[in-house]
Amino acid sequence: MRWLAWGLPDRGRAGPGHETDDHTEGSKRVTEASEALPLIQSGKVRELYDAGGDRLLMVASDRISAFDVIMAEPIANKGRVLTAMTVYWLEELADLAPNHLISADAADFPPHPGLDDLAGRSMLVRKADMLAIECIVRGYLAGSAYKEYEREGTVHGMPMPSGLRHADRLPEPIFTPSTKATEGHDLNIGMAEAADLVGAEAAQAASEVCLAAYLRAAARAEEHGIVICDTKFELGYIDGRLAICDEVLTPDSSRFWPAADCAPGTNPPSFDKQPLRDWLEGQPWDKQPPPPALPDEIVSATSQRYTDAYELISGRRLADWHGA
């Protein structure tokens, strides 16, 4: 069985804020506290631990990366936002498909030193036999899809109406899979290539699950004044059923736009790490480690973007989220 592919490549989308010394020390304690469980993998954002049996413990850190480089400064509350938002969406989508979540309540985690440090940023989940494709749904024209449309008039090889502009809503949401690259960048593929990788039945089932989840989530988000331009799902088989896994509809895996600013032909501001990326673009930096030190105001602005995304979409306060 292939374990849950939890450590996702950075998509250059969302982020949180001002990091204090206490919070930095807290992030350090999270890692130290979890050493009692076998570490399976450490990625740009998450640590994944073997929790025994068919269970895994996913711990979301406050690390943030841009241009494939991890910044030295943590982003306050980023891990809590990723976890809280994933749990919120899994609740909203529970009737559409199974998911991997067992509990986000630290009281349910395997006993080990420093358990309290995991509260709010961790999930106990079931192992899954993951699909070897990225499951992307696009509802609006942006990013690489817009670049392809400008060149070819297509999105993932699918013909689109002429005259579309950046940030235009597509005639209908489309499933646009890609490869999962172990090195370098993922490659966009069509359904035929996806079927070659995972099988025709699995590819079709993934498309149906992801489109249904996107439509549900997009409608919920619009009620709160947020447009979900596109998002990436991770799917895997649990007990023979295709389940939604990993992080779900977070700022790291999705492009969220304020509906009031989502005008065709513009580049709407995103609830993501754009303040960080914009600042880095203005620095004399070759995009190789080590990155430049981030100013407090950039860290703070990024943190606020993450918090705003969660609170606006869920209608809940992050301060009330403790992982229970």
Side-chain angles (χ1 to χ4, degrees), residues 254-272:
S254 314
R255 202 184 318 251
F256 299 127
W257 290 336
D261 298 322
C262 186
T266 67
N267 187 19
S270 299
F271 288 97
D272 59 18

Side-chain angles (χ1 to χ4, degrees), residues 259-317:
D261 298 322
C262 186
T266 67
N267 187 19
S270 299
F271 288 97
D272 59 18
K273 64 183 74 171
Q274 201 57 50
L276 168 64
R277 293 172 62 86
D278 290 345
W279 183 83
L280 289 171
E281 287 281 20
Q283 306 307 305
W285 178 47
D286 62 1
K287 298 182 176 59
Q288 298 296 318
L294 302 179
D296 287 349
E297 60 269 22
I298 296 300
V299 175
S300 180
T302 305
S303 178
Q304 194 61 52
R305 289 283 186 104
Y306 275 86
T307 300
D308 288 347
Y310 170 70
E311 294 188 339
L312 289 170
I313 288 175
S314 70
R316 304 170 182 176
R317 296 194 318 147

Side-chain angles (χ1 to χ4, degrees), residues 6-116:
W6 62 280
L8 304 180
D10 191 297
R11 291 293 176 203
R13 297 182 180 159
H18 183 68
E19 191 56 40
T20 66
D21 290 340
D22 286 344
H23 193 89
T24 302
E25 183 62 25
S27 296
K28 179 181 178 183
R29 289 197 305 270
V30 166
T31 301
E32 293 175 349
S34 302
E35 288 178 353
L37 296 178
L39 177 64
I40 295 174
Q41 190 174 359
S42 181
K44 290 179 181 177
V45 174
R46 293 174 182 77
E47 274 74 51
L48 187 68
Y49 298 90
D50 189 339
D54 69 344
R55 303 179 306 166
L56 302 170
L57 185 66
M58 297 175 60
V59 182
S61 75
D62 289 337
R63 296 190 297 271
I64 193 167
S65 67
F67 307 109
D68 292 326
V69 177
I70 299 175
M71 302 293 109
E73 297 80 7
I75 302 299
N77 291 320
K78 182 173 184 285
R80 297 180 72 242
V81 167
L82 297 181
T83 304
M85 189 163 257
T86 293
V87 172
Y88 167 77
W89 283 118
L90 289 178
E91 293 171 352
E92 292 290 314
L93 304 174
D95 62 314
L96 296 181
N99 62 69
H100 69 330
L101 181 64
I102 297 172
S103 177
D105 187 345
D108 297 328
F109 297 168
H112 63 282
L115 182 63
D116 290 345

